[in-house]
Structures are given as structure tokens and as C-alpha cells.
Amino acid sequence: SSELTQEPAVSAALGQTVSITCQGDSLRSNFASWYQQKPGQAPVLVMYAKDNRPSGIPDRFSGASSGDTASLTITGAQAEDEADYFCSSRDNTHVFFGGGTRLTVL
Amino acid sequence: DVQLVQSGAEVKKPGGSLRISCQGSGYSFANYYIAWVRQMPGKGLEWMGIIYPDDSDTKYSPSFQGHVTFSADKSINTAYLQWSSLKASDTAIYFCARRTYYYDTTGGGYSYYFDYWGQGTLVTVSS
């Protein structure tokens, strides 16, 4: 299946640790990448190849993968982390995005 | 610095044609795939497909095949997304993004991802 399933919404208290998951068959053989999108802005890459952070992304962001599930964890969520998060993966020819998870930081 | 700059917002009537652009700078434009991604109002990201500017090799998502056309002019570092007959359902923000890859030497193989994004082009189709 080409579908990637994410929880629609999660919330975390300021400073709390929160994880967002992404589930799909393609993740058994392909790493996920993760994108953060704030209102009115373009997506920003926050994690690639399972657990690699691009330059400029805080180290409170981490990634993991096991079987058909990838996860993005924010250790000590900050107010500026409030955003939509999308996972992405691929099969041999096409790319897929998850439906997105809205993170609210309380 | 790597940048992708997209053309401005457009308002078109159903049945009309349109071409929007994405100009890259700060890197070898011809040698990286450019992806197009749709975001309908209040919705998630949808991969439309990719084009390799050096030889215009293209791959379309089945959801968009036959309705849009990708092209590129590597001499001016610009990729294009084109419609010949717009529908109201084409109303969305369209992003271009540079695709790159990471090779996992521990056995994970190639991992593709989008490291730079354009600012988006809002296309509104309304009578």
C-alpha cells in the first residue's frame, strides 16, 4: 500500500516530550523524511533518512524507525514547534506524504 | 545559498491555461530533480511528480498524470508546471522542492527527500 497514516493531532505541554508516528508498508523498505509546516509558510525539512537532522534543526528533534512505523520525537517541546508535521516515503517510482499531524504546544 | 523562487499568485477561469515557474539558484540546478507538490485549502501535501532539468526526465503521480505537464529550461534554471484546461478543483497552493538523496552505507540504500522548497504559488480557479 502507498498510504502513510499519521495521527491527526497531538498536544504537548511546554517542555514535554512528544512523538508523532507515521505508519505504512513502504516504511518497511524505505526511510521516512519529516517536514514541519507553519501556517502560511512552505514546509521545512526537519528529519531525513530516519534519524538525520538537517543543519539548523534543533537537536531536540530526533527520528526513529521500526518495521512499518517511523516516528519523530521532540524532546522538550517549545512554543515555536507548534506546526503541522508531514512524513514522506516512497516506493520504486512514486513519493507519498502522510496526512499530517497538527502539534499543539500548551 | 540554495533558493527556489516561485512565480506569483494567479487567478484564472475554469477552462483556462496556466504556467507557473520555479527558479533555482545557489546550486547546480540541472543536476537535481525538482518535485511539484500540491496543497489544497486546509489540506495536506500531495506529491504531483518530478522532473530532472538536465534531460527533462519526468515522473508523474497517477493522480495528476494527463492533467498537468512539467517542463524545465536549464539555461535559465527554471522549472514549470502547466495546465491546459484548469478546473475549480485545481485551486491550491503549489510548491516546488529540490529532491536530494542520502545513501545509507549500513544497508538502508538510497533515501530521497526534499531539502529546499519554494515559497509556494497560490492558484485560484473561479468563474
Side-chain angles (χ1 to χ4, degrees), chain B residues 13-18 67 82-87 90 125:
Chain B
K13 294 189 184 304
S17 63
L18 175 64
H67 186 55
Q82 181 175 325
W83 296 260
S84 59
S85 182
L86 286 158
K87 304 175 184 178
D90 292 319
V125 183

PDB file of all heavy atoms in Angstrom, chain B residues 13-18 67 82-87 90 125:
ATOM      1  N   LYS B  13      -9.885  31.479 -14.836  1.00  0.00           N
ATOM      2  CA  LYS B  13     -11.234  30.934 -15.011  1.00  0.00           C
ATOM      3  C   LYS B  13     -11.147  29.466 -15.401  1.00  0.00           C
ATOM      4  O   LYS B  13     -10.164  29.034 -16.037  1.00  0.00           O
ATOM      5  CB  LYS B  13     -11.976  31.724 -16.079  1.00  0.00           C
ATOM      6  CG  LYS B  13     -12.253  33.171 -15.694  1.00  0.00           C
ATOM      7  CD  LYS B  13     -13.175  33.837 -16.683  1.00  0.00           C
ATOM      8  CE  LYS B  13     -13.384  35.304 -16.362  1.00  0.00           C
ATOM      9  NZ  LYS B  13     -13.895  35.503 -14.975  1.00  0.00           N
ATOM     10  N   PRO B  14     -12.173  28.704 -15.056  1.00  0.00           N
ATOM     11  CA  PRO B  14     -12.190  27.302 -15.480  1.00  0.00           C
ATOM     12  C   PRO B  14     -12.054  27.190 -16.990  1.00  0.00           C
ATOM     13  O   PRO B  14     -12.621  27.989 -17.746  1.00  0.00           O
ATOM     14  CB  PRO B  14     -13.571  26.821 -15.014  1.00  0.00           C
ATOM     15  CG  PRO B  14     -13.911  27.704 -13.862  1.00  0.00           C
ATOM     16  CD  PRO B  14     -13.327  29.037 -14.198  1.00  0.00           C
ATOM     17  N   GLY B  15     -11.267  26.187 -17.408  1.00  0.00           N
ATOM     18  CA  GLY B  15     -11.008  26.005 -18.831  1.00  0.00           C
ATOM     19  C   GLY B  15      -9.806  26.755 -19.340  1.00  0.00           C
ATOM     20  O   GLY B  15      -9.318  26.485 -20.454  1.00  0.00           O
ATOM     21  N   GLY B  16      -9.296  27.664 -18.563  1.00  0.00           N
ATOM     22  CA  GLY B  16      -8.142  28.451 -18.976  1.00  0.00           C
ATOM     23  C   GLY B  16      -6.844  27.681 -18.822  1.00  0.00           C
ATOM     24  O   GLY B  16      -6.795  26.595 -18.233  1.00  0.00           O
ATOM     25  N   SER B  17      -5.796  28.240 -19.373  1.00  0.00           N
ATOM     26  CA  SER B  17      -4.478  27.626 -19.269  1.00  0.00           C
ATOM     27  C   SER B  17      -3.594  28.454 -18.352  1.00  0.00           C
ATOM     28  O   SER B  17      -3.859  29.634 -18.084  1.00  0.00           O
ATOM     29  CB  SER B  17      -3.843  27.522 -20.656  1.00  0.00           C
ATOM     30  OG  SER B  17      -3.654  28.818 -21.194  1.00  0.00           O
ATOM     31  N   LEU B  18      -2.532  27.806 -17.862  1.00  0.00           N
ATOM     32  CA  LEU B  18      -1.664  28.487 -16.908  1.00  0.00           C
ATOM     33  C   LEU B  18      -0.326  27.775 -16.865  1.00  0.00           C
ATOM     34  O   LEU B  18      -0.248  26.547 -16.979  1.00  0.00           O
ATOM     35  CB  LEU B  18      -2.286  28.467 -15.507  1.00  0.00           C
ATOM     36  CG  LEU B  18      -1.442  29.038 -14.360  1.00  0.00           C
ATOM     37  CD1 LEU B  18      -1.206  30.528 -14.577  1.00  0.00           C
ATOM     38  CD2 LEU B  18      -2.102  28.775 -13.011  1.00  0.00           C
ATOM     39  N   HIS B  67      -3.156  15.530 -16.574  1.00  0.00           N
ATOM     40  CA  HIS B  67      -3.833  16.804 -16.270  1.00  0.00           C
ATOM     41  C   HIS B  67      -2.847  17.958 -16.158  1.00  0.00           C
ATOM     42  O   HIS B  67      -3.241  19.126 -16.350  1.00  0.00           O
ATOM     43  CB  HIS B  67      -4.641  16.686 -14.990  1.00  0.00           C
ATOM     44  CG  HIS B  67      -5.469  17.904 -14.707  1.00  0.00           C
ATOM     45  ND1 HIS B  67      -6.389  18.433 -15.613  1.00  0.00           N
ATOM     46  CD2 HIS B  67      -5.515  18.727 -13.637  1.00  0.00           C
ATOM     47  CE1 HIS B  67      -6.947  19.512 -15.101  1.00  0.00           C
ATOM     48  NE2 HIS B  67      -6.436  19.720 -13.896  1.00  0.00           N
ATOM     49  N   GLN B  82       2.401  23.280 -15.693  1.00  0.00           N
ATOM     50  CA  GLN B  82       1.480  23.835 -16.681  1.00  0.00           C
ATOM     51  C   GLN B  82       0.168  23.060 -16.715  1.00  0.00           C
ATOM     52  O   GLN B  82       0.147  21.841 -16.560  1.00  0.00           O
ATOM     53  CB  GLN B  82       2.157  23.766 -18.056  1.00  0.00           C
ATOM     54  CG  GLN B  82       1.379  24.316 -19.208  1.00  0.00           C
ATOM     55  CD  GLN B  82       2.219  24.301 -20.480  1.00  0.00           C
ATOM     56  OE1 GLN B  82       3.430  24.517 -20.440  1.00  0.00           O
ATOM     57  NE2 GLN B  82       1.596  24.020 -21.601  1.00  0.00           N
ATOM     58  N   TRP B  83      -0.915  23.816 -16.900  1.00  0.00           N
ATOM     59  CA  TRP B  83      -2.248  23.260 -17.122  1.00  0.00           C
ATOM     60  C   TRP B  83      -2.770  23.791 -18.454  1.00  0.00           C
ATOM     61  O   TRP B  83      -2.598  24.977 -18.758  1.00  0.00           O
ATOM     62  CB  TRP B  83      -3.236  23.681 -16.045  1.00  0.00           C
ATOM     63  CG  TRP B  83      -2.985  23.233 -14.655  1.00  0.00           C
ATOM     64  CD1 TRP B  83      -3.582  22.189 -14.010  1.00  0.00           C
ATOM     65  CD2 TRP B  83      -2.112  23.845 -13.695  1.00  0.00           C
ATOM     66  NE1 TRP B  83      -3.131  22.107 -12.710  1.00  0.00           N
ATOM     67  CE2 TRP B  83      -2.228  23.118 -12.496  1.00  0.00           C
ATOM     68  CE3 TRP B  83      -1.253  24.948 -13.728  1.00  0.00           C
ATOM     69  CZ2 TRP B  83      -1.525  23.435 -11.338  1.00  0.00           C
ATOM     70  CZ3 TRP B  83      -0.540  25.260 -12.580  1.00  0.00           C
ATOM     71  CH2 TRP B  83      -0.669  24.504 -11.407  1.00  0.00           C
ATOM     72  N   SER B  84      -3.453  22.953 -19.201  1.00  0.00           N
ATOM     73  CA  SER B  84      -4.067  23.421 -20.434  1.00  0.00           C
ATOM     74  C   SER B  84      -5.562  23.683 -20.267  1.00  0.00           C
ATOM     75  O   SER B  84      -6.152  24.413 -21.069  1.00  0.00           O
ATOM     76  CB  SER B  84      -3.844  22.405 -21.554  1.00  0.00           C
ATOM     77  OG  SER B  84      -4.402  21.151 -21.191  1.00  0.00           O
ATOM     78  N   SER B  85      -6.168  23.083 -19.242  1.00  0.00           N
ATOM     79  CA  SER B  85      -7.590  23.294 -19.003  1.00  0.00           C
ATOM     80  C   SER B  85      -7.843  23.204 -17.500  1.00  0.00           C
ATOM     81  O   SER B  85      -8.023  22.114 -16.951  1.00  0.00           O
ATOM     82  CB  SER B  85      -8.425  22.264 -19.760  1.00  0.00           C
ATOM     83  OG  SER B  85      -9.810  22.500 -19.556  1.00  0.00           O
ATOM     84  N   LEU B  86      -7.859  24.340 -16.864  1.00  0.00           N
ATOM     85  CA  LEU B  86      -7.994  24.382 -15.417  1.00  0.00           C
ATOM     86  C   LEU B  86      -9.413  24.044 -14.965  1.00  0.00           C
ATOM     87  O   LEU B  86     -10.398  24.323 -15.663  1.00  0.00           O
ATOM     88  CB  LEU B  86      -7.621  25.778 -14.903  1.00  0.00           C
ATOM     89  CG  LEU B  86      -6.136  26.108 -14.914  1.00  0.00           C
ATOM     90  CD1 LEU B  86      -5.944  27.623 -14.913  1.00  0.00           C
ATOM     91  CD2 LEU B  86      -5.422  25.473 -13.742  1.00  0.00           C
ATOM     92  N   LYS B  87      -9.476  23.459 -13.770  1.00  0.00           N
ATOM     93  CA  LYS B  87     -10.751  23.178 -13.128  1.00  0.00           C
ATOM     94  C   LYS B  87     -10.785  23.907 -11.785  1.00  0.00           C
ATOM     95  O   LYS B  87      -9.746  24.225 -11.209  1.00  0.00           O
ATOM     96  CB  LYS B  87     -10.899  21.676 -12.876  1.00  0.00           C
ATOM     97  CG  LYS B  87     -10.752  20.797 -14.090  1.00  0.00           C
ATOM     98  CD  LYS B  87     -10.798  19.325 -13.685  1.00  0.00           C
ATOM     99  CE  LYS B  87     -10.547  18.420 -14.866  1.00  0.00           C
ATOM    100  NZ  LYS B  87     -10.532  16.987 -14.474  1.00  0.00           N
ATOM    101  N   ASP B  90      -8.578  22.662  -9.115  1.00  0.00           N
ATOM    102  CA  ASP B  90      -7.137  22.924  -9.157  1.00  0.00           C
ATOM    103  C   ASP B  90      -6.743  24.061  -8.215  1.00  0.00           C
ATOM    104  O   ASP B  90      -5.551  24.351  -8.065  1.00  0.00           O
ATOM    105  CB  ASP B  90      -6.686  23.261 -10.579  1.00  0.00           C
ATOM    106  CG  ASP B  90      -6.795  22.080 -11.517  1.00  0.00           C
ATOM    107  OD1 ASP B  90      -6.457  20.955 -11.105  1.00  0.00           O
ATOM    108  OD2 ASP B  90      -7.233  22.284 -12.669  1.00  0.00           O
ATOM    109  N   VAL B 125      -8.854  29.114  -9.141  1.00  0.00           N
ATOM    110  CA  VAL B 125      -9.624  28.909 -10.366  1.00  0.00           C
ATOM    111  C   VAL B 125     -11.096  29.124 -10.027  1.00  0.00           C
ATOM    112  O   VAL B 125     -11.688  28.373  -9.257  1.00  0.00           O
ATOM    113  CB  VAL B 125      -9.407  27.506 -10.945  1.00  0.00           C
ATOM    114  CG1 VAL B 125     -10.173  27.361 -12.271  1.00  0.00           C
ATOM    115  CG2 VAL B 125      -7.927  27.228 -11.136  1.00  0.00           C
TER     116      VAL B 125
END
